[in-house]
Amino acid sequence: MPSDQQSGTESSGPRHVAIIMDGNGRWAQARGRPRLFGHHAGAKRVREVVEACPSLGIKYLTIFAFSTENWKRTQVEVAGLMSLFRRYIAKETRALHARGVRVRFIGDRVRLDTKLIALMDTLEEQTRENEGVHLTIALNYGGRDEVARATRRLARDVAEGRLKPEEVDEETLPRYLDTRVLPDPDLVIRTSGEARISNFLLWQSAYSEYEFIDTLWPDFTADELARLCQSYGSRDRRFGAVKA
Ligand code: FPP
């Protein structure tokens, strides 16, 4: 599994971009519309951003669609979001596959409905051989929950003799995370002016660069992503070391 050092490009742009897509609700409220209107507008932006990735040299795109904390929203909003995810997957499968996108989902599936899980499985299966952009959608995802689930699996392996306690280190643990086949993100972007990471990719973003921008997610464009990638290129990533 590649480490963040390996994923950090020697060339200018980020190879793995992760996005906390925030601000849909405020975007809708500013227009006097229900929050779900903002989520639908946000879903349209996902397509534009995925399409922009190849020309920006982004090989991995990971987006935070629904957190383990988002169940605390009203029943109407949660049901509306789940329905949006089902529709998005059903509608976008063909286009994503045609563009060579490989789709994965991370997060805990236990609370998701069976219809949605079936659609997720189909999309993953259909795009399994694709070699274009790796799109990872975090759905019912929480960084702490992921580490807890990973630790549970790891503990089982130790208990059953497949792993020795002294073998558990920084290389071993990430093999149990949902993201085990992905490099760590080089750049994490959060829209809507909030400067926090809200339980997103806690382990994986230890050395990521961060961009907190004011744009609300439904207003985010490919041009803005290009600007952020360019600005990333001028940063000096040292991973804790001192420059020679
Ligand atoms: C945060 O905005 C956004 C979400 C909780 C949902 C993100 C979902 C989408 C962008 C929809 C499409 C995604 C896919 C993969 C189809 P918020 O509601 O917290 O906004 P607020 O902070 O302004 O209230």
Side-chain angles (χ1 to χ4, degrees), residues 21-26 35 39 43 65 70 73 84-85 88 217:
M21 308 179 290
D22 197 11
N24 296 346
R26 277 164 283 166
R35 296 176 57 80
H39 294 315
N70 286 153
R73 296 186 174 206
L84 171 62
F85 298 141
Y88 174 85
W217 175 252

Side-chain angles (χ1 to χ4, degrees), residues 1-3 6 16 60 62 104-107 109 124 136 141 146-147 149-151 153-154 157 171-184 201 203-204:
M1 195 215 52
S3 72
Q6 286 161 328
H16 183 175
Y60 297 88
T62 301
R104 294 185 182 88
F105 291 90
I106 56 171
R109 295 184 180 200
E124 283 187 334
T136 302
Y141 174 87
E146 179 191 33
V147 171
R149 285 185 290 106
T151 307
R153 285 195 292 269
L154 188 150
D157 277 355
E171 299 291 318
T172 323
L173 196 140
R175 285 189 216 133
Y176 290 82
L177 296 174
D178 296 349
T179 52
R180 54 192 157 268
V181 296
L182 303 174
D184 289 338
L201 301 176
W203 175 282
Q204 300 86 339

Side-chain angles (χ1 to χ4, degrees), residues 53-71:
C53 287
S55 66
L56 296 171
I58 299 169
K59 185 73 183 166
Y60 297 88
L61 176 70
T62 301
I63 54 174
F64 206 178
F66 193 88
S67 76
T68 45
E69 289 72 36
N70 286 153
W71 298 104

Side-chain angles (χ1 to χ4, degrees), residues 2-151:
S3 72
D4 50 352
Q5 280 94 336
Q6 286 161 328
S7 79
T9 44
E10 293 304 323
S11 62
S12 54
R15 185 160 163 254
H16 183 175
V17 173
I19 309 182
I20 302 172
M21 308 179 290
D22 197 11
N24 296 346
R26 277 164 283 166
W27 186 89
Q29 275 157 2
R31 288 160 180 76
R33 305 294 299 267
R35 296 176 57 80
L36 277 167
F37 182 70
H39 294 315
H40 281 267
K44 290 188 189 130
R45 286 302 171 184
V46 174
R47 180 188 270 230
E48 178 176 339
V49 168
V50 173
E51 282 178 358
C53 287
S55 66
L56 296 171
I58 299 169
K59 185 73 183 166
Y60 297 88
L61 176 70
T62 301
I63 54 174
F64 206 178
F66 193 88
S67 76
T68 45
E69 289 72 36
N70 286 153
W71 298 104
K72 294 180 199 147
R73 296 186 174 206
T74 65
Q75 203 266 332
V76 169
E77 186 170 352
V78 170
L81 275 166
M82 293 300 149
S83 159
L84 171 62
F85 298 141
R86 285 193 300 269
R87 281 167 55 185
Y88 174 85
I89 296 172
K91 191 165 149 262
E92 292 291 310
T93 292
R94 192 186 297 204
L96 288 165
H97 187 40
R99 267 183 261 124
V101 177
R102 171 148 192 196
V103 183
R104 294 185 182 88
F105 291 90
I106 56 171
D108 192 353
R109 295 184 180 200
V110 286
R111 275 185 85 173
L112 304 177
D113 73 64
T114 50
K115 223 163 136 187
L116 176 57
I117 294 171
L119 286 161
M120 290 159 67
D121 283 340
T122 307
L123 182 53
E124 283 187 334
E125 194 49 48
Q126 282 191 3
T127 61
R128 188 173 295 279
E129 306 289 323
N130 290 348
E131 290 175 357
V133 174
H134 291 244
L135 171 65
T136 302
I137 302 175
L139 228 169
N140 193 27
Y141 174 87
R144 288 182 173 182
D145 177 69
E146 179 191 33
V147 171
R149 285 185 290 106
T151 307

